[in-house]
Amino acid sequence: MSELSFAELGLDPAVLEAVSAVGYETPSPIQAQSIPALLAGNHLLGVAQTGTGKTAAFGLPLIDMLLQNGRKPDPKTVKTLILAPTRELVNQIAENLRIFARKTPLKVNIVVGGASINRQQHQLAAGTDILVATPGRLLDLLDRRALRLDAVRFLVLDEADQMLDLGFIHDLKKIASLVPDARQTMLFSATMPKTIADLSQRFLTNPERVEVSPPG
Ligand code: AMP
């Protein structure tokens, strides 16, 4: 465990309140390493599995940075795009982020297959601070012009190795081409095969590399 407290990692008091409300006392190793790097504006390459606390490792600094730039998103735009391989993981990430952001005005939306696309389209109309999505349904909604990605400032690829295993590489490249180059990107993967190294070369600029072993 890290010696530093969440406050010492540089998070805003509003975010620290959320952290203590969920009962986290000490940052996990991936949080201790990722949070300061992300708050400093770096891209991040995280080699870490689920269970290490990686959702908060990217979620807390994201919420902090979105609060610093207090403007509401314009209609149909997205400020933060988080891509994950499965509906279950998307729901889990969004659930965590909604808890962290509960006392803030930030809006978290979900886009996944197997649920009403019309309802998702409707929810995107007002603009979204944080969108958590599976790649396929996101592309369907882009085809419908339900949203635009030209205002994305933060891009997260979670469980990138699993996304490649599920055949999402083409979708990821297409989505990344619609996101501005001037963005901060975070890529998390449980393993680091050459395909992921190539992907991170393509999507990340000079990333901070953070690696933690699986939880016991
Ligand atoms: P994750 O790897 O993001 O799926 O998180 C795994 C579990 O650890 C979740 O149930 C979190 O609520 C919990 N967790 C994350 N960070 C901390 C922390 N710093 N202290 C205690 N529990 C945590």
Side-chain angles (χ1 to χ4, degrees), residues 40-64:
N42 293 301
H43 291 224
L44 190 87
L45 176 59
V47 187
Q49 293 178 333
T50 294
T52 53
K54 70 183 157 70
T55 314
F58 64 80
L60 297 174
L62 276 175
I63 289 168
D64 188 294

Side-chain angles (χ1 to χ4, degrees), residues 6 23-28 31 49-56 92 96:
F6 279 105
Y24 297 175
E25 286 173 4
T26 324
S28 71
Q31 291 161 3
Q49 293 178 333
T50 294
T52 53
K54 70 183 157 70
T55 314
Q92 192 186 314
N96 272 287

